[in-house]
Amino acid sequence: MKILLVGNGAREHIIAQKLKDSPQSIELFCFASSNNPGIINLAQGYKVGDFSNENIISYAKENNVDFVFVGPESPLEKGLVDDLEKVNIKSVGPYMELAQLETSKSFARQLFKEYNIPVNPEFKIFESMDGVEEWLLYLEENFVIKPDGLTGGKGVQVSGDHFQTMNEGMALISKLIENGTRVIIEEKLIGQEFSLMSFSDGEHLVHMPCAQDNKRALAGDTGPNTGGMGSYSFSDGSMPFISDKELKDGQEINLKVMKALKEKTGKPYRGILYGNFIATKKGLKIIEYNARLGDPEAMNVLSVFKSDFVEVCLGIIEGNLNEKKVEFENKATVCKYAVPQGYPEDPIKDETINVDSIDTSKVDIYYAAVDKREDGIYLTGSRAVAIVAKHEDIYEAERLAEEEINNIIGPVIHREDIGKKKLIEKRIEMMNKLKE
Ligand code: AMP
Ligand code: GLY
């Protein structure tokens, strides 16, 4: 079987690894925007180019692939899956219309409203400043500003966090509106966030373990938002700050969303449904949905995935996911990203890193924003290398990941608090207080 993987981050590196781990014999091809040394080692064919549908489809046809696995969101937004279907190539990844669940925050909020899925905060969508002030006053100045489009996790601004006063908020909104951007202004939710991803064939879902990403750049949840500095998952597949009922609710919500999408568009959602939930005093709400695997959460869930990943992909494509065996190990995982100094605002680029001293019997290494050149592995300005450890005990997994990430030589930094007892207990305590 021939499979084309689109993308070249750490998420795609672990996807490539899982495809290659399949007992079925596969030939792997990758369409990438830079040389990921990990994927290059696993793939029979590797092409670097612009992620246009035309370029990707021509590479898929050239290699006569059986299906395409779309890693990141941008090709989904451009309708890659729809265009591949026109030339009879199947994909793991949703059609453009369905990917709006991620690519348009207003589409997602309106879908939940229309289908009575009670996961929305109070929200309103604005295309001019008319009524903005009244809305902010109604929300009692606790609000979140979201541009309506893909922002790489860096476009959302939260009151009390990214800005302090109502006037500062008004100025940010007015700048977006002046640039012609549609803006969603919503109630600021208080609680603990987690990711619950499910494989979807359009009719059936298979849920993955939950994971918690840590988006702020610096220890103690300070600094700007990033794509995600690291994440962890627990051996029971849940989160220590949610109840069994909340876990079930989350799984049920993913199912309702899949069904709502089918009803609204008439099309099956084939790919990964990724709910970014927040557990609040009033139950689970949705921060956003993504239409792909999370990065870094893919490293958590796929590290404990122990079935045949190719079979899961075929189940997604063929609509018989319910007949596939999908099992996860009962182990905790900790993933920490090494990022260039200065990330995300002013990252060091074009300098090399060396990972040769990492003990790969203790952790796994997944390459992200790096470029392998003749004389070394170069930083390209975003999250560079993910270090992943798994263990029955999450704190032991953290210790291993922390020990080994410190063996990277080069101008990179990481968050040492991710997965430590202090941070996790702080989150549990916050939730306990909230529910009092
Ligand atoms: P997003 O790009 O939608 O993932 O948002 C980035 C981050 O902003 C989220 O991970 C949350 O921490 C925060 N955020 C987004 N929406 C809300 C909300 N309604 N209430 C509180 N925080 C939010
Ligand atoms: N972990 C955040 C994301 O994948 O969007």
Side-chain angles (χ1 to χ4, degrees), residues 105 121 144 146 151 153 156 158 186-189 193 215 225 276 287-288:
K105 291 180 194 292
V144 177
K146 299 187 168 185
T151 57
V156 172
V158 182
E186 61 189 36
E187 169 195 359
K188 177 179 172 180
L189 297 165
E193 287 180 54
K215 288 193 174 152
N225 265 338
N276 175 185
I287 295 283
E288 63 166 359

Side-chain angles (χ1 to χ4, degrees), residues 286-306:
I286 283 291
I287 295 283
E288 63 166 359
Y289 260 92
N290 293 317
R292 50 168 174 90
L293 280 166
D295 186 347
E297 295 95 320
M299 272 71 81
N300 303 102
V301 300
L302 294 185
S303 290
V304 290
F305 178 88
K306 57 176 190 182

Side-chain angles (χ1 to χ4, degrees), residues 403-420:
E403 193 172 271
E404 296 305 324
I405 202 168
N406 279 306
N407 289 330
I408 301 177
I409 300 163
V412 288
I413 50 170
H414 69 276
R415 264 184 69 171
E416 57 164 85
D417 61 340
I418 292 174
K420 282 215 161 76

Side-chain angles (χ1 to χ4, degrees), residues 2 10 20 133 215 231 267 337 416:
K2 294 180 173 184
K20 290 297 284 188
E133 194 171 350
K215 288 193 174 152
S231 50
K267 294 178 187 161
Y337 255 121
E416 57 164 85

Side-chain angles (χ1 to χ4, degrees), residues 20-144:
K20 290 297 284 188
D21 285 349
S22 162
Q24 310 187 41
S25 139
I26 70 148
E27 264 184 78
L28 182 67
F29 298 86
C30 179
F31 194 97
S33 62
S34 68
N35 286 310
N36 180 311
I39 304 177
I40 287 176
N41 275 341
L42 295 164
Q44 278 62 52
Y46 194 95
K47 187 171 173 90
V48 175
D50 286 336
F51 278 12
S52 71
N53 292 359
E54 205 184 348
N55 286 346
I56 297 168
I57 291 168
S58 117
Y59 189 59
K61 278 167 58 181
E62 208 175 288
N63 292 295
N64 208 10
V65 302
D66 294 285
F67 70 86
V68 175
F69 194 114
V70 187
E73 60 276 23
S74 63
L76 299 173
E77 186 182 35
K78 288 188 263 179
L80 175 63
V81 172
D82 309 61
D83 288 354
L84 280 163
E85 193 171 84
K86 289 180 197 143
V87 295
N88 289 319
I89 301 175
K90 303 266 193 233
S91 306
V92 177
Y95 297 118
M96 180 162 80
E97 192 181 359
L98 297 168
Q100 286 183 90
L101 186 63
E102 167 166 9
T103 62
S104 168
K105 291 180 194 292
S106 60
F107 173 89
R109 289 274 177 245
Q110 277 159 343
L111 181 85
F112 312 145
K113 193 171 166 186
E114 198 177 323
Y115 287 86
N116 295 317
I117 310 173
V119 292
N120 279 333
E122 299 236 42
F123 75 99
K124 261 191 180 171
I125 301 163
F126 291 91
E127 291 180 9
S128 78
M129 292 302 285
D130 289 350
V132 168
E133 194 171 350
E134 291 77 359
W135 184 240
L136 300 187
L137 289 171
Y138 172 79
L139 294 178
E140 295 176 344
E141 303 187 19
N142 284 315
F143 59 95
V144 177

